[in-house]
Amino acid sequence: MTAATLDTRKNRTALLAFGGALAMLGLGYAAVPLYQLFCQVTGFGGTTQRATESDAAIAERLGASAGGRTISIRFDGTTAGDVPWSFRPEQVTDTVTIGQRDMAIYLAKNESDEAITGTATFNVEPEQAGAYFNKIQCFCFTEQVLQPGQEVRMPVLYFVDPKALDDPNMDGVEQITLSYTFHRALESAE
């Protein structure tokens, strides 16, 4: 093998290795948004769905035709260790008619002496219920800024899709838990 051929092979190997490293880096950055998209579309991992008012109106009609079955909703609220807020649901449980819009209120208070920007992550248990738990309006869609000592009421407008009644994986589910955790927003954490 000549020195020129050996150099060509080394260069090709180096380029392939560099290209592979770049591809892995790109996939690493794309993994989080792609996973979030997958979860939002499928409800995987208890990810709730976003709905419009027209979606809610259709669900209400379907729910009424299904006989007005009800389900218990349990609300949970926590904060990450670096968020000096008190955060809890106003009402811990509620019984709702499947397909009908309902509202839950969460109470948050900034217990610190500085303004804090927070963002809420959420999930639904059991996981299979995530595909049927639809939020129309939610404080979790945007960052929340609380001034020192400020207390706010944060509404969540939601409904449970009547399609849950046709899913065999939802058989026996009598309660859905909607859980939020507030985290310090990135610019607030600096």
Side-chain angles (χ1 to χ4, degrees), residues 64-139:
S65 68
R69 289 201 27 212
T70 61
I71 192 163
S72 173
I73 309 293
R74 182 179 169 276
F75 304 101
D76 180 50
T78 60
T79 59
D82 66 341
V83 180
W85 291 3
S86 58
F87 176 65
R88 64 178 178 80
E90 188 173 61
Q91 183 176 335
V92 177
T93 59
D94 192 12
T95 300
V96 300
T97 301
I98 293 178
Q100 287 191 346
R101 283 171 272 215
D102 203 4
M103 183 182 293
I105 303 290
Y106 279 78
L107 306 172
K109 182 176 182 181
N110 182 349
E111 305 284 354
S112 77
D113 59 357
E114 64 178 337
I116 303 285
T117 302
T119 185
T121 58
F122 55 85
N123 76 322
V124 168
E125 289 292 330
E127 285 185 14
Q128 68 268 29
Y132 305 108
F133 196 94
N134 292 268
K135 292 187 283 188
I136 303 163
Q137 292 178 349
C138 181
F139 58 86

Side-chain angles (χ1 to χ4, degrees), residues 8 27 36 39 64 69 72 74 95-96 98 115 120 125 133 143 153 166 176 181 184:
T8 302
L27 286 174
Q36 286 176 332
C39 290
R69 289 201 27 212
S72 173
R74 182 179 169 276
T95 300
V96 300
I98 293 178
E125 289 292 330
F133 196 94
E143 291 181 344
R153 294 168 48 90
D166 299 326
I176 296 173
T181 301
R184 202 178 270 254

Side-chain angles (χ1 to χ4, degrees), residues 51-64:
T52 63
E53 285 289 343
S54 62
D55 294 333
I58 292 167
E60 193 163 355
R61 285 194 299 276
L62 289 173

